[in-house]
Amino acid sequence: MNMQVIFLGTSGSIPTPSRNLPSILLRREGEQIMFDCGEGTQRQMIIGKIGFRKITKILITHMHGDHVLGLPGLLQTMALLDRSEKLCIYGPSGIRGFMEDMIRSLQFNITFPIEVYEVKNEGTICREESYEIKAIWADHVVPCLAYAFIEKSRPGKFYPEKAKALGIPKGPLWGKLQRGEAVRLSDGRIINPEEVTGPPRPGRKIVYTGDTRPFSGLIELAMKADLLIHDSTLDDALAEKAGEDGHSTPSQAAETARKAMVKKLVLTHISARYSDPSILLEQACRIFKNTIVAEDFLSLNVTFPDE
Amino acid sequence: MNMQVIFLGTSGSIPTPSRNLPSILLRREGEQIMFDCGEGTQRQMIIGKIGFRKITKILITHMHGDHVLGLPGLLQTMALLDRSEKLCIYGPSGIRGFMEDMIRSLQFNITFPIEVYEVKNEGTICREESYEIKAIWADHVVPCLAYAFIEKSRPGKFYPEKAKALGIPKGPLWGKLQRGEAVRLSDGRIINPEEVTGPPRPGRKIVYTGDTRPFSGLIELAMKADLLIHDSTLDDALAEKAGEDGHSTPSQAAETARKAMVKKLVLTHISARYSDPSILLEQACRIFKNTIVAEDFLSLNVTFPDE
């Protein structure tokens, strides 16, 4: 089951010729989940030849314009394309009022149901059959959420030789056991999946910080994540300004990645002052080697930990 | 005195890889006046290497998202760049509420004065020393303004031989007469500028329709304009749909251009269905030859009628 993370916008609070304002798209099993939606996100999707219809959820980290101002235009375009599927929008307090203001001011003719959830408490904010999304408070100058997309564990690896040894006939019963279901054989015996499979295999985990200073809660949220997408607005030499503005430096992001033992770190929200971001990469790599700097339209395949 | 019109966005209501959402910038004497501000306009300016500081006025034609959603992000960026100069925003009813909602929702730290004018009545909405801006109601599906930027007449051409014949010494007195001022000679005679200059020379006129069906009032507004920038969303074969949606076709735009005897017609607000807009150009040129189809970053120099 493929999972891709596509960076639609990777700039800081002001866009550049090569970086649009922040937005990240997670594609998985025919579903698309968007994190942040800076101005111009709809056009980035059009340029990237990515359809709008499969977006089911949009999660906003905070109510600063550079993270949210692409939302009304995206919704307008969805409506112009006659979308009928429900869309869920999550964000901090203020997201509902923003949506209501927009729909009123711009006389939208919305063709589809929109459900807006203002996140009040840390924890799981959405639970689906095969994944959940958690949110915790980051450390920015306004309330800002960090999100974790966490796949549920999959059943353990199936061992055909064990099934054969137990006299389970090859066929539909094997399939059920593979999916983690118990089966009853024709002789009355009940076989539990654990008898023919290995231990459950962990799913994938992706964490996005939004805008934030480094903060300790993030280490737990990001623990063993496959991908940690971290604010890295300014380089280490500007650590003081980064802190004042509620942002992180490459070393701070890398330190969290190291402590959380993540697989890969992606630096994003890159200030317009870095036309060449190699300084950011160098500073992070000294502390955490498997780091990259995001760029617009970068697409990462996220594999299972055991793949 | 140079005057340029720069097309920052020329798409219909959905952007395309090559066309951003509507915005037009008029540059004149160190001042920039923006007409409409679709989502992504600030980035178009950055790509086009056009500074924000000299924008003094932003005129919105109507409160549809594709014409106004770039405004909050542009203002945020101006504030991040520590703008201090006043900015005037004009638009139909609703523009004030939209601005207030935005500033509240997004916790803007606005560093400069913003004056918002809701246009209620047709006529001159702003009068400056060397130009005025007029607005009239266009014919769209929501209240939509068409704008005319009209330069005042300049003093007539100065004839040095007439000045010499009247015994006016070359020097500062010639300059005053050239600027349209009367002068007193050392012998007591008063010379009026009309004695040494030709008739006043008309200034330049640029008219922008916003989104509209063809309507008769536009002919008067656009009469003898140097540039008529006209909605041309759909081609003639889709005239019925254009009418339903409150838009114009190339032939309709060209008919107005012909009747208004304008110098040049620019078709804009081009639907995403025309990756090649030559059909639009052909249809308009049959009726009005001096037509072009706008494209993003097209820059037109507008010369004086007598140049």
Side-chain angles (χ1 to χ4, degrees):
Chain A
M1 191 203 310
N2 276 337
M3 184 152 88
Q4 289 174 318
V5 173
I6 304 169
F7 291 81
L8 295 171
T10 60
S11 74
S13 41
I14 299 179
T16 76
S18 61
R19 296 184 187 274
N20 198 51
L21 294 156
S23 182
I24 298 167
L25 196 69
L26 190 155
R27 272 175 140 169
R28 178 181 170 276
E29 263 197 81
E31 184 181 11
Q32 295 178 351
I33 299 173
M34 181 177 278
F35 295 90
D36 280 335
C37 187
E39 181 182 350
T41 295
Q42 60 163 325
R43 190 171 180 219
Q44 294 290 93
M45 293 188 69
I46 289 167
I47 292 169
K49 296 188 166 55
I50 302 165
F52 301 112
R53 202 166 285 266
K54 290 178 178 166
I55 300 176
T56 56
K57 301 178 179 74
I58 300 179
L59 298 106
I60 301 296
T61 58
H62 63 298
M63 294 306 297
H64 274 163
D66 52 326
H67 292 256
V68 74
L69 277 169
L71 200 47
L74 178 60
L75 302 191
Q76 175 174 310
T77 291
M78 285 174 167
L80 287 170
L81 298 173
D82 286 326
R83 180 186 175 105
S84 56
E85 298 86 354
K86 183 179 80 174
L87 180 70
C88 297
I89 298 174
Y90 299 80
S93 178
I95 184 77
R96 187 189 307 280
F98 173 78
M99 293 298 306
E100 288 169 357
D101 288 346
M102 280 293 172
I103 289 172
R104 190 186 60 247
S105 275
L106 303 176
Q107 304 167 48
F108 275 20
N109 181 20
I110 290 289
T111 58
F112 54 96
I114 299 177
E115 288 178 8
V116 182
Y117 299 95
E118 292 198 335
V119 177
K120 306 286 185 207
N121 302 311
E122 297 191 330
T124 299
I125 57 167
C126 133
R127 208 182 292 274
E128 300 287 349
E129 202 182 317
S130 63
Y131 66 84
E132 62 177 324
I133 299 175
K134 283 187 177 172
I136 64 171
W137 293 110
D139 182 14
H140 192 42
V141 294
V142 297
C144 180
L145 294 157
Y147 291 110
F149 175 91
I150 305 168
E151 275 185 333
K152 291 196 179 151
S153 296
R154 295 165 302 146
K157 190 170 154 53
F158 179 73
Y159 295 107
E161 58 278 20
K162 287 191 181 180
K164 280 179 199 160
L166 287 167
I168 309 167
K170 194 172 172 178
L173 295 179
W174 283 28
K176 284 193 171 179
L177 288 161
Q178 277 176 313
R179 289 193 297 275
E181 298 169 31
V183 299
R184 177 189 291 271
L185 302 187
S186 55
D187 61 11
R189 276 184 299 150
I190 289 175
I191 308 290
N192 286 312
E194 297 76 40
E195 299 178 57
V196 293
T197 60
R201 291 170 293 177
R204 292 161 289 193
K205 181 170 167 181
I206 291 169
V207 173
Y208 171 49
T209 63
D211 288 4
T212 192
R213 301 179 187 102
F215 67 106
S216 60
L218 183 59
I219 296 166
E220 194 192 325
L221 187 75
M223 188 53 68
K224 297 200 174 168
D226 296 276
L227 216 57
L228 170 60
I229 303 164
H230 202 301
D231 175 339
S232 179
T233 304
L234 294 171
D235 79 286
D236 291 353
L238 298 167
E240 197 177 334
K241 178 165 170 51
E244 280 167 17
D245 297 348
H247 293 295
S248 296
T249 68
S251 289
Q252 291 167 341
E255 199 58 58
T256 300
R258 191 182 63 76
K259 287 182 183 157
M261 295 181 280
V262 306
K263 218 164 166 184
K264 194 186 194 84
L265 169 66
V266 187
L267 306 180
T268 194
H269 206 267
I270 309 303
S271 162
R273 71 181 72 200
Y274 305 106
S275 53
D276 172 5
S278 56
I279 177 92
L280 304 171
L281 189 63
E282 281 163 28
Q283 292 174 353
C285 281
R286 273 178 227 144
I287 294 164
F288 187 81
K289 207 166 169 69
N290 197 8
T291 301
I292 57 174
V293 177
E295 53 189 60
D296 284 20
F297 303 111
L298 169 71
S299 172
L300 297 176
N301 281 311
V302 185
T303 54
F304 284 105
D306 57 332
E307 267 176 8
Chain B
M1 190 204 310
N2 277 337
M3 183 154 87
Q4 288 173 317
V5 174
I6 303 168
F7 291 82
L8 296 172
T10 61
S11 75
S13 42
I14 299 179
T16 75
S18 61
R19 294 184 189 276
N20 198 53
L21 294 157
S23 182
I24 297 167
L25 195 70
L26 190 154
R27 271 175 142 169
R28 179 180 170 278
E29 262 196 81
E31 183 181 11
Q32 295 177 350
I33 299 173
M34 181 177 279
F35 296 91
D36 280 335
C37 188
E39 181 183 349
T41 295
Q42 61 163 323
R43 190 170 180 219
Q44 294 291 95
M45 292 187 70
I46 289 167
I47 291 170
K49 297 187 166 52
I50 302 164
F52 301 113
R53 202 167 285 266
K54 290 176 178 166
I55 299 177
T56 56
K57 302 178 179 73
I58 300 179
L59 298 107
I60 300 296
T61 58
H62 63 298
M63 295 306 298
H64 274 164
D66 51 326
H67 292 256
V68 75
L69 277 168
L71 200 47
L74 177 61
L75 301 192
Q76 175 174 310
T77 291
M78 285 174 167
L80 287 170
L81 297 173
D82 286 327
R83 181 188 175 103
S84 56
E85 297 87 355
K86 183 179 81 173
L87 180 71
C88 298
I89 298 174
Y90 299 80
S93 178
I95 184 79
R96 186 188 307 281
F98 173 78
M99 292 299 305
E100 287 169 356
D101 288 346
M102 280 294 169
I103 288 171
R104 191 185 59 245
S105 276
L106 303 176
Q107 303 168 49
F108 274 20
N109 180 21
I110 289 289
T111 57
F112 54 95
I114 299 178
E115 288 178 9
V116 182
Y117 300 95
E118 293 198 334
V119 177
K120 307 285 185 208
N121 302 311
E122 297 191 331
T124 299
I125 58 166
C126 133
R127 208 181 294 273
E128 301 286 350
E129 200 182 319
S130 63
Y131 66 84
E132 63 177 324
I133 299 176
K134 284 187 177 173
I136 63 170
W137 293 110
D139 181 15
H140 191 42
V141 294
V142 296
C144 180
L145 294 157
Y147 291 109
F149 174 90
I150 305 167
E151 274 185 333
K152 291 197 180 150
S153 295
R154 294 166 302 147
K157 190 170 155 50
F158 179 74
Y159 295 107
E161 59 278 21
K162 287 192 182 178
K164 282 179 197 158
L166 287 166
I168 308 167
K170 194 172 173 179
L173 294 179
W174 283 29
K176 284 192 171 179
L177 288 162
Q178 277 176 313
R179 290 192 296 276
E181 298 168 31
V183 300
R184 179 189 292 269
L185 302 187
S186 55
D187 59 12
R189 277 183 298 151
I190 289 175
I191 309 289
N192 287 312
E194 296 77 39
E195 299 177 57
V196 293
T197 60
R201 291 170 294 176
R204 294 161 289 193
K205 181 171 168 181
I206 290 169
V207 174
Y208 170 49
T209 63
D211 288 5
T212 192
R213 302 178 187 101
F215 67 107
S216 60
L218 183 59
I219 296 166
E220 195 192 324
L221 187 75
M223 188 55 68
K224 297 200 175 169
D226 296 277
L227 215 58
L228 170 60
I229 303 164
H230 202 301
D231 175 339
S232 178
T233 304
L234 294 170
D235 78 288
D236 291 353
L238 298 168
E240 196 177 335
K241 178 166 169 49
E244 280 167 16
D245 297 348
H247 294 296
S248 295
T249 68
S251 289
Q252 290 167 342
E255 198 59 58
T256 299
R258 192 183 61 79
K259 287 180 184 156
M261 294 181 283
V262 306
K263 216 165 166 184
K264 192 186 197 81
L265 170 65
V266 187
L267 306 180
T268 194
H269 206 267
I270 309 302
S271 163
R273 70 182 74 200
Y274 305 106
S275 53
D276 172 4
S278 57
I279 178 92
L280 303 172
L281 189 63
E282 281 164 28
Q283 290 173 354
C285 281
R286 274 179 228 143
I287 295 164
F288 188 82
K289 208 168 168 66
N290 197 8
T291 302
I292 57 173
V293 177
E295 53 189 57
D296 284 19
F297 303 111
L298 169 70
S299 171
L300 298 175
N301 280 311
V302 184
T303 54
F304 284 104
D306 57 331
E307 266 175 9

